[in-house]
Amino acid sequence: MFSRILIANRGEIALRIIRAARELGVETVCVYSDADKDGPWLEQADKTVCIGPGPAADSYLRIDRIIAAAETTHADAIHPGYGFLAENAHFAEVCQDCQISFIGPSPEAMGLLGDKVSCRAMAKEAGTPIFPGSPGEIEEEDEAISVAETIGYPVIVKAAAGGGGRGMRIVRDQSELIAALESARQEAQAAFGNGAVYIEKFLEYARHVEVQCLGDQHGNAIHLYNRDCTSQRRHQKLIEEGPAPGVPDALRDEVCESAAKLIRSAKYCGAATCEFLMDRDNNFYMLEVNTRIQVEHPVTEMITGVDLVKEMIRCSAGEPLSIKQSDVQLNGHAIECRVNAEDPDRGFMPQPGNVELFNAPGGFGVRVDSHVRSGYRVPPNYDSMIAKLIVHGSDRTEAIARMRSAIEEFQIGPIKTTLPLHHHLLGTREFVEHDFDIHYVERLLEKEEQASA
Ligand code: ADP
């Protein structure tokens, strides 16, 4: 096992990793920016190192400073958390070159699964369902036209190196195709330094269902069932739950097993998530693989009892997975709400500033993952998520009721948060009957705005 882990992240995920490391008897080093110098999570670390000013480009994204901090504090591993450098294969490679373990996949596995074109090819090989589309990168206009004709419009042009929704164009008929191809290429080139694009079928109606996987360095890979993250706004997940409701057990197991097979074929170490869209007829199509721990990982921890962060750390230290596929048992239902410092009544405007009151709920089946406490100042530099509220219930109905009650108990002020929106969404017919798709939140908000105007 490692003796000291450096955490190249901040906020709730830094705290989550500290907790896991401590249980394993491993010391932690937290790097931080000037904007985070009073971050409450830093008090829980064994050592802290300032790596620069507030803007992430000058601190949390500075590979040189993070490596220097790891070397001077004699850390033998780095956990990247999510965001920042978590899916940067170059960073994983630099860690390797400096003989510091990167807690996550090898640069090769990350590169193979992170590139959407090579990931699609590997998924096809493993029997993981993918969207109908181009077999590889689209280079010729003629090929684009014939692929789109074969799969049928609407189609979507996507960047091989895509992330954050950039380099994507929905195309509804042939007259728009060539221009979309060109502009997607340019956007991808500018954003990722890689202009490769491909084409796949575009779904008008879709639910987001993803599969949590774990792999080790001994060729083992397992899945920990699925999560539904259909409640989104502008492609940002708001509410996640598991297991995904309304997916027949046999189909769920088949898709989950195919995801584990893909992870195994990539010789993957650590936590990975295979994201899928599901259509009205329960057909699954893989979107992408996230090669890191995800924000919504507690949902899976609550329904399987497996500590994903501890498993990641153990596997990167060379230990085999502590569980086999047959040990993973589903228990009840879990829901997570992302509590963001944003004002839903004012276009989700970020609400940096002082949190005078932070009074988290508790009780049976309630978990709060947060770095915030009363008196904390939310800096304007980073993501607006200030807490994750997770509940577990014996079934979905109980979990929804428990979540609504926990939200009623949760006091945060004077800054505005997304808590009231969550309370509202959990009470809608669409959510309760899981009769929803990835655009239902936006449609609902639009309808309500019009009604109040
Ligand atoms: P990125 O890595 O840039 O986030 P994704 O492939 O994950 O790109 O897609 C982002 C979002 O775009 C998805 O969550 C979904 O809402 C939408 N999307 C992507 N591909 C499709 C598709 N084939 N059909 C319908 N919606 C899609």
Side-chain angles (χ1 to χ4, degrees), residues 116 131 156 158 162-166 168 192 198 200-204 206 208 232 235 275 277 287-288 290 438-439:
K116 293 184 182 182
F131 282 99
I156 182 166
K158 294 170 78 167
R166 280 171 303 177
M168 291 197 311
F192 315 112
Y198 65 103
E200 66 187 24
K201 179 79 189 158
F202 178 74
L203 294 185
E204 301 281 3
H208 177 115
Q232 312 181 350
H235 303 311
E275 296 192 326
L277 292 183
L287 264 182
E288 63 172 338
N290 288 146
I438 52 178
H439 304 293

Side-chain angles (χ1 to χ4, degrees), residues 225-247:
Y225 294 99
N226 61 14
R227 298 183 287 253
D228 179 293
C229 314
T230 297
S231 300
Q232 312 181 350
R233 178 182 165 270
R234 296 198 177 160
H235 303 311
Q236 297 301 311
K237 294 166 186 167
L238 294 170
I239 304 175
E240 300 103 340
E241 61 178 307
V247 181

Side-chain angles (χ1 to χ4, degrees), residues 62-126:
R62 284 288 298 262
I63 294 177
D64 54 342
R65 293 187 183 164
I66 292 167
I67 295 288
E71 287 181 332
T72 52
T73 56
H74 306 288
D76 42 10
I78 296 183
H79 197 308
Y82 51 67
F84 299 127
L85 297 168
E87 291 182 280
N88 185 319
H90 172 64
F91 179 54
E93 209 170 280
V94 173
C95 290
Q96 205 172 51
D97 291 346
C98 296
Q99 262 132 55
I100 298 168
S101 296
F102 177 82
I103 299 179
S106 66
E108 295 75 28
M110 194 190 285
L112 279 172
L113 294 173
D115 181 287
K116 293 184 182 182
V117 169
S118 69
C119 185
R120 265 172 68 86
M122 290 179 71
K124 200 166 173 208
E125 196 64 26

Side-chain angles (χ1 to χ4, degrees), residues 129-159:
I130 57 173
F131 282 99
S134 53
E137 178 188 351
I138 290 273
E139 293 181 79
E140 306 290 334
E141 292 183 2
D142 289 354
E143 191 194 356
I145 293 168
S146 91
V147 166
E149 228 155 59
T150 311
I151 61 179
Y153 290 92
V155 301
I156 182 166
V157 179
K158 294 170 78 167

Side-chain angles (χ1 to χ4, degrees), residues 178-367:
I178 303 305
L181 210 60
E182 210 28 64
S183 71
R185 258 191 204 131
Q186 281 172 13
E187 191 174 312
Q189 185 63 43
F192 315 112
N194 173 0
V197 295
Y198 65 103
I199 292 178
E200 66 187 24
K201 179 79 189 158
F202 178 74
L203 294 185
E204 301 281 3
Y205 169 97
R207 273 177 54 189
H208 177 115
V209 177
E210 60 188 29
V211 178
Q212 177 70 58
C213 296
L214 275 176
D216 66 19
Q217 295 170 356
H218 305 273
N220 302 307
I222 60 170
H223 70 79
L224 294 102
Y225 294 99
N226 61 14
R227 298 183 287 253
D228 179 293
C229 314
T230 297
S231 300
Q232 312 181 350
R233 178 182 165 270
R234 296 198 177 160
H235 303 311
Q236 297 301 311
K237 294 166 186 167
L238 294 170
I239 304 175
E240 300 103 340
E241 61 178 307
V247 181
D249 289 2
L251 174 65
R252 177 198 64 204
D253 292 355
E254 186 190 320
V255 174
C256 289
E257 279 156 23
S258 79
K261 197 166 168 203
L262 169 61
I263 295 310
R264 196 174 305 122
S265 73
K267 300 192 169 44
Y268 192 93
C269 172
T273 300
C274 296
E275 296 192 326
F276 296 87
L277 292 183
M278 185 182 90
D279 70 12
R280 265 187 217 285
D281 301 320
N282 288 355
N283 292 305
F284 277 79
Y285 307 96
M286 196 182 74
L287 264 182
E288 63 172 338
V289 178
N290 288 146
T291 57
R292 54 171 162 81
I293 190 75
Q294 281 190 294
V295 172
E296 59 270 31
H297 75 274
V299 166
T300 299
E301 295 182 326
M302 302 299 268
I303 54 173
T304 62
V306 176
D307 185 319
L308 291 170
V309 180
K310 272 171 29 183
E311 286 298 327
M312 280 181 93
I313 295 173
R314 285 199 198 100
C315 289
S316 285
E319 292 181 19
L321 282 171
S322 73
I323 37 163
K324 298 188 300 292
Q325 188 65 63
S326 55
D327 298 330
V328 184
Q329 298 294 330
L330 278 179
N331 170 28
H333 196 90
I335 307 179
E336 173 182 278
C337 288
R338 297 190 188 195
V339 184
N340 293 341
E342 292 170 1
D343 186 352
D345 292 332
R346 295 229 232 124
F348 292 82
M349 205 201 298
Q351 298 274 297
N354 222 16
V355 182
E356 280 164 29
L357 177 69
F358 187 88
N359 200 356
F364 186 30
V366 177
R367 165 174 172 181

